[in-house]
């Protein structure tokens, strides 16, 4: 079994830099509820938006 890799992810575009923790927090705030078990985030820098899917069911978006 492979060892777990600690990774840092940061999206940089224009004059902005957003890390994975910030994206997760922004998505949870946009969703507004606490029952998040699964969270998928799709970032579209050219639109300055991120789209999310919570619990494989609820979708939404937020501005970056």
């Amino acid at each position: 079994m492979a060892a777990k890799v600690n990774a840092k992810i940061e999206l940089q575009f224009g004059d902005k830099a957003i890390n994975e923790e910030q994206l997760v927090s922004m998505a949870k705030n946009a969703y507004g509820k606490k029952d998040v078990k699964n969270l998928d985030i799709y970032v579209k820098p050219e639109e300055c938006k991120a789209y999310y899917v919570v619990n494989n069911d609820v979708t939404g978006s937020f501005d970056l």
Side-chain angles (χ1 to χ4, degrees):
M1 180 179 264
K4 183 177 178 180
V5 174
N6 291 322
K8 175 185 174 185
I9 298 171
E10 182 173 273
L11 174 67
Q12 298 178 342
F13 62 102
D15 61 347
K16 297 183 183 204
I18 301 173
N19 66 35
E20 180 181 13
E21 187 176 296
Q22 290 170 310
L23 283 170
V24 169
S25 177
M26 293 166 81
K28 285 181 175 179
N29 287 338
Y31 176 57
K33 299 178 185 173
K34 298 191 185 268
D35 65 335
V36 178
K37 292 184 178 96
N38 297 327
L39 178 62
D40 297 324
I41 301 172
Y42 305 90
V43 180
K44 295 198 77 175
E46 69 276 11
E47 294 178 10
C48 259
K49 288 188 96 57
Y51 298 86
Y52 61 85
V53 180
V54 175
N55 301 335
N56 300 315
D57 182 41
V58 180
T59 62
S61 66
F62 57 92
D63 293 329
L64 298 175

